[in-house]
Amino acid sequence: MITLEMRFPYPDPSVAQAVMAAVGPDNGGYVDASVEGDTVIFRIKGEQAATVRNTADDLLACVKTAEASLGISSPAGGDEE
């Protein structure tokens, strides 16, 4: 089993909750997600590396969209224009 954990820290817990609410419905059954304080944590498990990678790619796109709709970006996101 291959596992991947991704953490997204935000300026405060309300932002983390908003990102979680926006992304949660898209990932039911594929990703375990939780909020700890101001950080959203995603855990992906899969039998094959390609499956985990594809799920992570899809999740990152969803997180980026959620952040854009909230007018924020995660610290690792940088400024892309």
Side-chain angles (χ1 to χ4, degrees):
M1 182 70 64
I2 298 167
T3 61
L4 172 65
E5 181 175 285
M6 297 188 297
R7 294 176 168 261
F8 294 84
Y10 293 101
D12 74 43
S14 66
V15 176
Q17 289 289 343
V19 171
M20 178 71 155
V23 175
D26 289 336
N27 292 294
Y30 299 101
V31 179
D32 290 327
S34 61
V35 175
E36 292 181 11
D38 63 355
T39 302
V40 181
I41 303 166
F42 298 103
R43 292 174 188 88
I44 303 168
K45 292 182 184 177
E47 293 293 328
Q48 298 179 349
T51 302
V52 172
R53 180 181 177 190
N54 290 339
T55 302
D57 285 346
D58 291 346
L59 178 61
L60 288 170
C62 292
V63 168
K64 183 175 180 177
T65 300
E67 291 173 344
S69 72
L70 294 168
I72 60 164
S73 65
S74 58
D79 292 325
E80 297 177 354
E81 293 195 36

